Amino acid sequence: MIVLLAIGPTATVLSYDLADNGFQVIDIGHLDVEYQWYLMQAKKKTPLENRTVNEVSDSQFNKIANYNQFKILGGIE
């Protein structure tokens, strides 16, 4: 049986546990983002239109957060 996971950081731990119990596991959490970059023939991780991509610099996140009227309380340096 193959199990597909897309549950954030939890997928790594759960994948290990499931594999340890005989399951085949694939973490597809960022597959859609990676596919979009493939279609764009991107050479580096770039922002995607109408998407929040946590792998892109925080300056892009700030633009999205301001657009959606979220208030950023602080950051970690």
Side-chain angles (χ1 to χ4, degrees):
M1 176 185 283
I2 296 177
V3 178
L4 302 178
L5 296 176
I7 53 176
T10 307
T12 303
V13 176
L14 187 56
S15 295
Y16 179 85
D17 290 343
L18 288 171
D20 203 31
N21 286 295
F23 292 93
Q24 293 179 332
V25 183
I26 302 172
D27 180 3
I28 60 167
H30 288 237
L31 185 62
D32 58 330
V33 173
E34 295 290 342
Y35 184 64
Q36 288 297 317
W37 287 330
Y38 169 77
L39 292 177
M40 293 169 50
Q41 298 179 350
K43 301 296 181 199
K44 63 178 187 165
K45 296 176 180 182
T46 58
L48 297 173
E49 188 174 338
N50 299 320
R51 297 290 307 269
T52 302
V53 181
N54 65 340
E55 297 173 3
V56 178
S57 72
D58 62 344
S59 62
Q60 180 65 19
F61 175 78
N62 289 338
K63 289 179 191 174
I64 294 167
N66 290 334
Y67 174 77
N68 290 316
Q69 299 178 2
F70 292 111
K71 184 176 181 182
I72 299 174
L73 300 175
I76 299 173
E77 298 291 325

